[in-house]
Amino acid sequence: TMEKDLLYPVTNAYREDQKLDGLWDFKFDPASEGEANGWPTGLEDPIKMPVPASFNDFFTDKDAREYTGDFWYLKKFFVPNYFEGKKVGIRFGAATHRAKIFVNGQEIRSHEGGFLPFTADITDAIKLGEDNVVAVKINNELHRDALPAGDTITLKNGKKMAKPFFDFYNYSGLNRSVHLVAIPKENIEDYSTTYEVSNDQATVHYSVEADSNADVKVSLADEDGHVVATATGAEGDLVVENPTLWQVRDAYLYTIKIKLVQGGTVVDEYSDEIGLRTIEIKGHQILVNHKPVYLKGFGRHEDSIYAGRAFDLNVERRDLNLMKWIGANSYRSSHYPYDEQAYKFADREGILITDEVPAVGFKMAAASFLGGLDQSFFDGDWIDDLYKKHIDQVKDMIKRDKNHPSVLAWSLCNEPDTSSDSAVPYFTKLFNDSADLDPEKRPRTFTLNEDDTFETSKCLKFPDFYLLNRYPGWYHKWGYEISDGEAGLRAELDEWQKSDIDKPIVFSEYGADTEPGLHKLPSIMWSEEYQIELLEMFNRVFDSYDFIRGEQPWNLADFQTVEGNMRVNGNKKGIFTRDRQPKAAAFYLRKRWNSLPLDY
Ligand code: GCB
């Protein structure tokens, strides 16, 4: 059905995709009375709100910016007569964190999870050739049984406030584009591909799921539009002689075209760009097309001024240019799956992505600036409910992103408390239940926080490779003690080296908050000089261990967080500022990364 379909919308002879972006009506609903008061068909005294955007930073008063609870978006939209006989849906790229959709007053569906798309099938609720009304009731509260994890408290003045167990601002709203889509009744629901490649031949094993018993025809065309292979059937092989492979920072994309044919007539068609390449972990190596790759890149955020967490193609263009300039070949979609356009862009630019589900805050001590609880997160009575949402979002992320050549691996959690026994059954289930979701069987992993070391973590058997988040030189052994920080890091890595664990390690976070323009000789913390010294320290260590197969400092750019005594208008660990200009460290990293070979 349309509601399970996560294919990215397209327009062609059989399908229609219209954006419903722009100004929507908007209203807060602190008493949760909108549904009873007829808001599904019209808001009383609404204000205008741009979509896609987070509502928060547009406001000039603090209560509105920090608003936590229910809020509504509403828009009129016209349904053309030629949609007759089609299935019609509204596809939301993201609604933070849970949403209920109404069309012409009729409740259509609900959805939980603020970083993944969903479609409301509105076929039976619309009027053709007329204006229709869509209303979205959203709720942005944080809870321990939801992703990302946090609490919602009520202040003595009655106002609700989100208390994230994570370090990014709880930007809320319709953060990604809204699409009005029409597809044939008999339609292509999904497709997937796996690859075998050698220098003179590549085979694409494809499989198509359709809401129809029509015949399936598939073709593959190169970048010049020449068809290089064809096949028939819901499953089959496309064999390409002398293929141009998708390579890291040297992308080449083929177009796969899928057709449903009934009695000689085409009833649906879907095209997409794919890359011919394989991914594998072998011993300590990460292999792309059977060749070792050393990851250079960043943890990132979808974050920019004015529109908060809105996906902005302009920011993405700039970020990819910065990554190319600095010599990066990869990033982690910390701490949630990004807008689909980011993956399409990375496919085109040859960037590798570790795709992360919004499972963040699964650790009480990590929320220490919020007064962490003295309990393992996984002992909480919220765990069963949380797990359902967690595996649900892992499923949707993999279903949505599995066809992108840029996706290297799946990160199933950021910094969970894996040192407690109660984490083991949780991760056993998570890794079992997600084992067969990706036809390509890409590596799966999670990041390990500082408390989860070779000695303390009880969950080291699960990841296919390790992502380590480590902060010596910043959260401990800082400033003049950084030499002890280096010694501690080496001591930990020596333990890994002595072990029989034969898997690569990627450093997925390390860094120093740095105020741009603050210079000091000799360095002090927060100065641009100190940020470079910290990176130099880590790089010395990385260069001493050959099982370290990647470095992704935290963060590409400064980003907004909840306010607090550890944050000066956000997290300043960016190598670039929030407006995407270089700190001194950017020039240092550029020199290093441009001199490291791909298979370093
Ligand atoms: C972490 C988190 C990241 C934070 C970072 C920091 O371990 O994964 O979300 O922003 O540390 O700078 O504290």
Side-chain angles (χ1 to χ4, degrees):
T1 69
M2 199 174 207
E3 302 210 331
K4 292 216 175 103
D5 184 344
L6 292 178
L7 286 179
Y8 196 70
V10 296
T11 295
N12 60 30
Y14 312 91
R15 295 177 167 239
E16 177 96 3
D17 166 27
Q18 298 179 2
K19 280 213 177 136
L20 296 184
D21 294 351
L23 286 180
W24 288 52
D25 287 352
F26 179 89
K27 197 176 164 83
F28 293 130
D29 185 8
S32 298
E33 61 193 8
E35 268 184 75
N37 290 351
W39 293 16
T41 50
L43 308 179
E44 211 177 298
D45 300 324
I47 58 168
K48 290 288 179 192
M49 185 61 70
V51 170
S54 309
F55 67 73
N56 311 79
D57 286 352
F58 296 131
F59 289 106
T60 51
D61 66 297
K62 195 150 178 160
D63 284 345
R65 180 182 191 252
E66 303 293 333
Y67 179 83
T68 304
D70 291 344
F71 51 98
W72 292 71
Y73 285 84
L74 182 138
K75 192 177 178 68
K76 275 194 192 144
F77 64 102
F78 181 80
V79 180
N81 282 312
Y82 64 86
F83 279 13
E84 171 135 42
K86 305 241 181 216
K87 281 193 180 184
V88 182
I90 299 184
R91 187 186 200 266
F92 296 86
T96 341
H97 296 285
R98 48 197 70 79
K100 203 189 254 192
I101 312 300
F102 303 84
V103 166
N104 298 329
Q106 185 180 323
E107 183 180 330
I108 310 290
R109 71 167 292 180
S110 298
H111 179 263
E112 166 100 25
F115 303 93
L116 285 160
F118 60 97
T119 300
D121 182 342
I122 59 170
T123 314
D124 298 330
I126 45 165
K127 296 169 286 183
L128 292 170
E130 286 181 47
D131 275 340
N132 293 260
V133 178
V134 55
V136 189
K137 178 188 170 190
I138 307 187
N139 175 283
N140 67 343
E141 290 171 17
L142 298 176
H143 300 290
R144 292 176 192 189
D145 68 358
L147 282 65
D151 281 339
T152 297
I153 60 163
T154 305
L155 304 179
K156 292 209 170 61
N157 65 12
K159 297 211 166 92
K160 282 188 199 161
M161 211 179 108
K163 300 278 259 179
F165 296 171
F166 49 87
D167 185 42
F168 50 93
Y169 191 77
N170 189 37
Y171 278 123
S172 306
L174 293 175
N175 282 330
R176 297 177 189 163
S177 285
V178 181
H179 299 250
L180 174 65
V181 296
I183 61 171
K185 286 245 157 77
E186 305 220 359
N187 58 69
I188 298 155
E189 286 186 319
D190 199 9
Y191 85 95
S192 55
T193 51
T194 63
Y195 302 91
E196 276 172 71
V197 306
S198 67
N199 279 339
D200 46 17
Q201 202 181 63
T203 305
V204 184
H205 307 289
Y206 71 86
S207 114
V208 174
E209 276 175 47
D211 196 0
S212 160
N213 50 19
D215 294 333
V216 178
K217 291 199 169 168
V218 181
S219 67
L220 194 70
D222 64 17
E223 286 188 358
D224 298 324
H226 298 128
V227 173
V228 294
T230 59
T232 55
E235 282 178 27
D237 289 348
L238 296 157
V239 180
V240 186
E241 304 297 338
N242 300 314
T244 309
L245 301 184
W246 188 94
Q247 305 282 15
V248 180
R249 290 291 309 276
D250 186 15
Y252 189 92
L253 298 174
Y254 288 83
T255 298
I256 186 168
K257 188 183 275 184
I258 302 163
K259 288 184 179 182
L260 291 186
V261 185
Q262 196 135 50
T265 315
V266 178
V267 294
D268 191 18
E269 179 186 305
Y270 190 82
S271 300
D272 206 359
E273 289 182 319
I274 59 172
L276 277 41
R277 58 103 192 84
T278 58
I279 281 163
E280 218 178 328
I281 301 258
K282 217 179 208 169
H284 287 139
Q285 303 281 14
I286 299 169
L287 305 176
V288 175
N289 300 328
H290 314 299
K291 288 183 303 229
V293 168
Y294 185 81
L295 301 182
K296 299 171 287 182
F298 298 96
R300 299 179 63 200
H301 268 298
E302 290 184 313
D303 173 281
S304 60
I305 50 169
Y306 309 127
R309 186 114 29 249
F311 179 75
D312 184 337
L313 209 43
N314 307 295
V315 176
E316 193 63 21
R317 173 72 278 175
R318 175 72 179 174
D319 281 359
L320 284 168
N321 280 348
L322 295 179
M323 285 191 266
K324 285 159 68 177
W325 173 83
I326 207 168
N329 59 19
S330 59
Y331 67 83
R332 176 167 60 114
S333 74
S334 46
H335 292 305
Y336 37 81
Y338 293 176
D339 188 290
E340 286 110 316
Q341 296 171 86
Y343 300 76
K344 286 176 180 290
F345 223 154
D347 292 345
R348 178 45 75 197
E349 306 273 344
I351 300 280
L352 292 168
I353 301 173
T354 305
D355 204 0
E356 189 159 273
V357 80
V360 52
F362 290 19
K363 183 179 182 69
M364 285 311 184
S368 60
F369 14 83
L370 308 159
L373 293 189
D374 206 13
Q375 169 191 27
S376 166
F377 186 82
F378 293 97
D379 284 328
D381 59 9
W382 52 82
I383 281 302
D384 291 345
D385 289 337
L386 177 66
Y387 182 79
K388 286 186 205 122
K389 294 172 190 164
H390 191 174
I391 189 67
D392 220 48
Q393 294 186 38
V394 169
K395 283 181 186 162
D396 276 6
M397 172 178 78
I398 295 179
K399 186 170 182 184
R400 190 193 73 159
D401 295 339
K402 63 184 181 306
N403 293 322
H404 290 288
S406 55
V407 174
L408 168 77
W410 309 110
S411 169
L412 304 186
C413 206
N414 181 62
E415 299 190 348
D417 178 0
T418 67
S419 298
S420 68
D421 290 322
S422 47
V424 178
Y426 189 95
F427 283 98
T428 305
K429 216 166 144 36
L430 185 67
F431 276 77
N432 283 341
D433 292 351
S434 59
D436 297 323
L437 297 175
D438 176 13
E440 272 205 84
K441 299 255 187 297
R442 290 176 181 82
R444 289 170 299 151
T445 184
F446 47 74
T447 74
L448 287 162
N449 166 275
E450 206 112 43
D451 299 332
D452 298 281
T453 64
F454 176 73
E455 289 186 330
T456 59
S457 177
K458 305 235 160 66
C459 296
L460 294 186
K461 63 179 170 197
F462 298 115
D464 295 314
F465 68 108
Y466 299 106
L467 297 177
L468 299 190
N469 296 355
R470 292 292 181 270
Y471 285 98
W474 190 255
Y475 289 123
H476 58 97
K477 304 294 176 200
W478 58 69
Y480 58 83
E481 287 188 87
I482 193 172
S483 54
D484 277 7
E486 176 170 350
L489 194 57
R490 287 181 185 275
E492 186 193 347
L493 290 168
D494 288 343
E495 291 302 315
W496 285 89
Q497 190 156 41
K498 276 187 261 158
S499 80
D500 54 4
I501 295 182
D502 191 24
K503 296 176 185 176
I505 289 181
V506 171
F507 271 74
S508 45
E509 282 188 31
Y510 52 100
D513 283 84
T514 303
E515 182 59 27
L518 179 66
H519 290 284
K520 189 98 170 166
L521 187 66
S523 75
I524 51 162
M525 292 171 78
W526 295 91
S527 68
E528 297 207 26
E529 288 73 19
Y530 187 74
Q531 189 177 33
I532 295 175
E533 285 167 24
L534 182 131
L535 293 173
E536 283 172 335
M537 181 278 268
F538 272 90
N539 292 335
R540 263 197 311 277
V541 174
F542 300 160
D543 293 344
S544 323
Y545 299 90
D546 58 11
F547 55 87
I548 294 174
R549 299 304 303 152
E551 46 188 80
Q552 299 185 323
W554 191 251
N555 185 287
L556 172 70
D558 293 346
F559 61 92
Q560 195 66 186
T561 62
V562 73
E563 61 189 315
N565 54 11
M566 307 240 296
R567 296 287 177 262
V568 187
N569 188 21
N571 188 308
K572 295 287 176 75
K573 294 191 185 71
I575 302 302
F576 297 89
T577 59
R578 199 180 188 208
D579 62 351
R580 273 62 177 185
Q581 298 302 332
K583 298 181 190 173
F587 297 94
Y588 159 73
L589 269 185
R590 180 174 193 241
K591 216 165 161 190
R592 170 176 169 84
W593 284 354
N594 282 311
S595 70
L596 293 184
L598 181 64
D599 61 354
Y600 175 64

